[in-house]
Amino acid sequence: MRALVMEQGEDGLAVAQITDIDAATLPEGDVTVAVDYSTLNYKDGLCLSPKGGGLVRTYPHVPGIDFAGTVEASDDPRFVAGDKVVLTGWRVGENRWGGYAQKARVKADWLVPLPAGLSPRDAMAVGTAGFTAMLAVMALEDHGLSPDKGPVLVTGAAGGVGSVATAILAHLGYEVAAVTGRPEQGDYLKSLGAATIVPREALNETVKRPLEAETWAGCVDAVGGEMLARVLGQMKYGASVSAVGLAGGAGLPASVVPFLLRGVNLLGIDSVMQPIENRKRAWARVAKDLPLDKLHGMVQNATLSDLPELGASILKGGVKGRVVVDVNA
């Protein structure tokens, strides 16, 4: 079977190679999946980098934190040959071989049956980024967000998480304000349903005032850092922010004042270790609430050989929307 394998050189740096490997070398697991598609997320870019982004511990390594395909063999009664499945998270592709290969072997507990209405390619157009976006929207709704409350901000909107969040929120009837540092992406974001485009420069500077005008009823934040600190001071009373990323830094130079005087909620969104029932709930919502025409419009196609270049690009913020990887091409 063909796979993208990261091999570590004598200098300690890893290099990607497309090569044939024996399926017998796959890690232990309950279920063997014939992979149809994988995708590219920020974490994949880290795993594809020469030092593994601090995520890869041992080499040789097959990256790919997501995949979708067909069960080939199963020792678990929950899955039988021919079942369509999707996997995201569980450290697959990080400390365990992942989806950048024609086959993968994993624990049955990590697999979700592919929801009706989604193809394996659709599922990887969603991937971890879109799955995380859906979790973020669900968390905001669980904390009281509804379309009548006012506009919802999406930061890093042209990225994978932001693109899917924008499309989902717009489809659900929310007024979406999309933040981007790439003005040329304005038309793209409006095609996903964004009502307004907010230049990154308008939010990426900290201010001395802990509170500003109450502006946003909710926020999906993929940036973190100074922008998140600024946004917290602009949230409406009782509003929530779903924090999904740290493209702008892991620090948070914020004040507690928005939490104390406006009851603002900061909701941490983890997609890696989500319980299986919430995974099923999120994937069912994706199938219901993410318009496939919008999803297809944010996708670029790739093969295994494209991944080293794309991996470097996504780390620099150079990838728009979602990337679907045909591992058999």
Side-chain angles (χ1 to χ4, degrees):
M1 64 180 217
R2 290 178 69 245
L4 183 152
V5 181
M6 302 297 295
E7 295 276 6
Q8 196 170 37
E10 293 182 0
D11 59 0
L13 301 179
V15 177
Q17 300 178 0
I18 311 297
T19 186
D20 290 322
I21 62 175
D22 192 332
T25 63
L26 290 172
E28 294 182 358
D30 306 313
V31 184
T32 302
V33 178
V35 178
D36 292 323
Y37 296 95
S38 187
T39 183
L40 178 76
N41 301 281
Y42 190 86
K43 274 189 177 179
D44 295 311
L46 293 172
C47 293
L48 288 163
S49 66
K51 294 184 179 180
L55 300 176
V56 182
R57 303 301 184 190
T58 59
Y59 293 92
H61 179 69
V62 177
I65 68 171
D66 304 339
F67 64 77
T70 306
V71 172
E72 188 174 88
S74 174
D75 296 325
D76 188 287
R78 288 172 290 180
F79 298 99
V80 298
D83 285 348
K84 300 293 185 182
V85 293
V86 58
L87 180 143
T88 62
W90 302 112
R91 306 297 181 195
V92 171
E94 299 176 44
N95 61 12
R96 185 182 176 93
W97 283 17
Y100 290 167
Q102 291 177 309
K103 294 184 182 181
R105 188 175 293 130
V106 296
K107 293 183 179 181
D109 290 342
W110 300 343
L111 294 170
V112 175
L114 191 69
L118 291 181
S119 69
R121 185 179 184 278
D122 292 335
M124 286 299 95
V126 176
T128 284
F131 174 64
T132 302
M134 189 73 251
L135 291 173
V137 172
M138 286 164 46
L140 293 176
E141 291 177 335
D142 291 344
H143 283 78
L145 181 66
S146 56
D148 61 298
K149 298 291 180 64
V152 178
L153 191 71
V154 178
T155 70
V161 176
S163 292
V164 178
T166 297
I168 290 172
L169 287 164
H171 178 71
L172 292 172
Y174 290 92
E175 177 188 344
V176 180
V179 182
T180 182
R182 296 179 273 175
E184 69 277 9
Q185 302 301 343
D187 289 342
Y188 163 72
L189 291 168
K190 288 183 177 179
S191 76
L192 298 180
T196 57
I197 306 300
V198 180
R200 181 171 59 196
E201 294 74 21
L203 289 173
N204 66 354
E205 292 184 6
T206 56
V207 295
K208 294 182 179 180
R209 301 186 306 279
L211 294 176
E212 299 181 66
E214 296 183 49
T215 306
W216 315 114
C219 174
V220 177
D221 175 62
V223 176
E226 293 183 352
M227 184 177 293
L228 173 56
R230 181 80 181 276
V231 167
L232 288 170
Q234 298 180 355
M235 302 306 296
K236 292 188 174 185
Y237 187 89
S240 300
V241 177
S242 287
V244 303
L246 43 67
L252 184 58
S255 164
V256 298
V257 172
F259 307 117
L260 301 180
L261 297 187
R262 285 192 185 156
V264 172
N265 304 297
L266 181 57
L267 312 175
I269 306 299
D270 168 63
S271 64
V272 177
M273 307 302 292
Q274 278 287 323
I276 187 64
E277 290 307 316
N278 212 36
R279 289 175 181 272
K280 291 179 179 179
R281 177 187 169 212
W283 278 106
R285 286 289 305 274
V286 165
K288 174 177 174 286
D289 293 326
L290 176 57
L292 289 183
D293 61 331
K294 303 296 185 185
L295 179 65
H296 296 157
M298 67 179 78
V299 167
Q300 66 178 99
N301 299 312
T303 64
L304 291 177
S305 60
D306 297 321
L307 286 169
E309 181 178 350
L310 285 170
S313 181
I314 199 171
L315 295 181
K316 298 176 182 176
V319 172
K320 179 183 76 173
R322 302 287 297 125
V323 175
V324 172
V325 182
D326 185 346
V327 301
N328 298 293

